[in-house]
Amino acid sequence: MPTIPVVVKHQGKKYDVELDTTSTGETFKYQLYSLTGVEPSRQKILVKGGQLKDDTDLGKLGVKPGHSFMMMGTPAGTDGTVQAPKEKMRFLEDMTEAEQAQQEGATPAGLQNLGNTCYMNSTLQTLRAIPELQEELRSYTASATSQAGPSGVDLGQFGLGGLGASMDLTASLRDLYKQMSETQDGFPPLMFLNALRTTFPQFAQRAKDGHGYAQQDAEEAWSQIVSQLRQKLQSRGDGSTTGPPSQPTQRAASFIDRYMAGQFESSMECDEPEAKEKGEEPVHSHDTFFKLDCHISKETNHLRDGVVDALSEKMEKNSPALGRNAMYTKTSRIARLPKYLPVHFVRFHWRRDINKKTKILRKVTFPQEFDVVEFCTDDLKMLLIPVRDKMRDVRKEIEDVERAKKRQKRMQKEQADALATGTASKDAADESTLSRKGTESAKKEGTNKDGDTEMTDIEYKTDAQIEAERAASILAAKKQLLTLIDPKLQEDVGGNQTGLYELRGVITHQGASADSGHYTSYVKKEGAKDPSTGRRKEEDGRWWWFNDDKVSEVEAEKIETLSGGGK
């Protein structure tokens, strides 16, 4: 009898099948594939003694007519058929330039040098690294008078620069960043440059030789642009951002005040004891700052040294008690920290002896993470220190877990290699020895007073269990960290809650002269964004180097070389 009628049960259904006793298990599986849609590689057919294998001779199974087989398995597709992709596959060459610029791994757009505008290009690339600023600019609406050109037409929407474009610096920045997000090529920032020079004529200064425009200071460009954004980016409380508010009290809602402005508590006191003896009291004040200065002297070797010097300034002024000029010391402490903290290395200064602006070339190192807690007021320190210390504990625990994972992978690889070569690594041997000792110890502990060995069950944790426990421990530590944040810090939208700052961008000047040289900037790469969750993936530690329209990747070690010396 070459064929036998049998029944195959699968997911509550019964299938009548003719079993060919002269064929193999593989043929039988393909018969079932045509009925159930379950691929042969995903089928499990139970027979006496185990599962049906592809090379099994069906004639040797001893199956009788009407025999029932149980089959398990599900098709690869949801309905058991091969389905076309839900989204049509698109190749890179089929995408528009704007779509290509949005893809993972795309190179960000550079900015063309329009004649000694490297100072502006470097500043704009670094400002662009602030995601909240990008979001705020997208919702900005300029007034009609500032946005339109002489003809009344908004030229910014067409990406047109030069004379006649928008005079609103903030709108020009918004349009520029949008245009940069839609290309990977060097973009000419004509419209923004025109708005910058119109708003701040100092940047329209001509070169001394009469050819082109003069080189400018990137720090001055940064400060002027930020001051203009502070005036324009005013939140109305409904999520929108418009031009300058009609009420001065709304200044506190400025984006710059929230995310990029700090507060000093300062005290100015005369250095001469005679003034104090005559009743002159220190003068206390609260000052807003938009950057920390790092003063550079012969003793300055590290960023911290320069900040300490800048927070204790000497100045000469009139003393009411003495009736003449005297030296005063102004001491400042930080009372409020913004989320983003620019630090200015004061390398350019005016030398009175030669009546010329010069550059300090001294090497001053800076860290990848800057702890500013020591520069804060005592009240702010009390709020920051518990959070900062717990943050470091959580980081250390995460780093320990990552190291353990890497060590485990290394040992597993060594053991696999040892099995393949017939040799054992030292780590594997040590682990095996420890394992044997643990077993012997367990056996000894399991011996009762009569000398009989008690069979005790010893439960060993799997790698998955250990990893789950570590993840739970880290999650608990993170939750505890959140409870340590004082309500005052939680309510401060745009404020820093730890006192720690990660280095994200650097603007550097190449050259020994203050009136020449070349500016470039470095911005740390962000992790790719997951389209389904919107979260950023882990960063690779590399940086983008923006040299006008030339953009390239560099290793983190490159940033450590940017410590001065004119390079």
Side-chain angles (χ1 to χ4, degrees), residues 44 62 97 109 114 123 211 260 302 305 333 338 345 354 393 429 440 442 483 500-501 523 531 564:
K44 289 184 179 180
E97 183 181 8
L114 304 178
T123 298
H211 299 289
M260 300 180 67
H302 189 268
D305 305 331
R333 288 292 177 265
F345 285 70
I354 60 175
D393 291 342
E440 292 171 1
T483 64
L500 301 175
Y501 286 92
V523 174

Side-chain angles (χ1 to χ4, degrees), residues 32 293 382:
L32 299 180
D293 283 336
M382 291 177 60

Side-chain angles (χ1 to χ4, degrees), residues 350-546:
W350 187 266
R351 286 187 56 181
R352 295 181 180 179
D353 55 337
I354 60 175
N355 199 30
K356 185 179 180 181
K357 188 178 181 181
T358 59
K359 179 180 179 180
I360 301 173
L361 301 178
R362 183 177 180 81
K363 180 179 179 180
V364 181
T365 59
F366 51 87
Q368 293 289 325
E369 182 179 81
F370 190 31
D371 185 349
V372 300
V373 172
E374 65 170 303
F375 310 126
C376 298
T377 62
D378 291 339
D379 290 342
L380 186 54
K381 284 181 182 178
M382 291 177 60
L383 303 181
L384 294 176
I385 289 176
V387 184
R388 179 200 63 181
D389 293 346
K390 188 62 180 179
M391 171 73 78
R392 287 174 169 169
D393 291 342
V394 172
R395 285 181 182 174
K396 184 178 184 302
E397 189 170 356
I398 293 175
E399 291 172 357
D400 290 343
V401 170
E402 293 301 318
R403 280 196 293 266
K405 287 181 179 179
K406 291 179 181 179
R407 183 168 60 250
Q408 185 179 22
K409 288 182 179 180
R410 177 177 59 82
M411 292 180 64
Q412 289 174 347
K413 183 177 183 302
E414 290 178 355
Q415 290 176 1
D417 293 342
L419 291 174
T421 59
T423 60
S425 68
K426 184 178 183 301
D427 287 343
D430 291 345
E431 187 176 18
S432 177
T433 302
L434 289 173
S435 178
R436 287 197 302 272
K437 288 181 178 179
T439 304
E440 292 171 1
S441 175
K443 288 180 179 179
K444 290 178 181 178
E445 291 175 358
T447 303
N448 62 20
K449 62 182 181 179
D450 297 328
D452 297 330
T453 302
E454 296 180 358
M455 301 302 292
T456 58
D457 294 331
I458 301 176
E459 182 180 352
Y460 294 96
K461 295 180 180 178
T462 64
D463 293 341
Q465 289 175 321
I466 295 174
E467 189 169 339
E469 288 180 357
R470 289 171 175 169
S473 175
I474 293 174
L475 180 60
K478 288 182 177 179
K479 290 181 178 179
Q480 184 182 359
L481 174 64
L482 294 176
T483 64
L484 293 175
I485 302 176
D486 190 272
K488 295 179 182 178
L489 295 178
Q490 292 179 346
E491 294 170 1
D492 186 6
V493 178
N496 180 292
Q497 300 174 340
T498 64
L500 301 175
Y501 286 92
E502 179 192 6
L503 184 65
R504 300 299 303 185
V506 180
I507 300 175
T508 182
H509 178 267
Q510 300 168 330
S513 173
D515 296 322
S516 60
H518 182 60
Y519 283 101
T520 63
S521 62
Y522 297 81
V523 174
K524 194 170 187 180
K525 287 181 61 181
E526 289 186 303
K529 182 180 289 187
D530 189 328
S532 58
T533 64
R535 296 180 179 179
R536 294 281 180 182
K537 299 178 182 178
E538 185 178 356
E539 297 179 348
D540 60 10
R542 293 170 66 85
W543 290 64
W544 291 115
W545 179 25
F546 295 97

Side-chain angles (χ1 to χ4, degrees), residues 290-315:
F290 301 97
K291 64 180 184 300
L292 277 185
D293 283 336
C294 172
H295 289 176
I296 302 175
S297 65
K298 295 180 180 179
E299 290 76 30
T300 307
N301 296 310
H302 189 268
L303 169 61
R304 177 192 172 277
D305 305 331
V307 173
V308 169
D309 289 343
L311 293 178
S312 181
E313 297 182 273
K314 295 286 185 180
M315 62 185 67

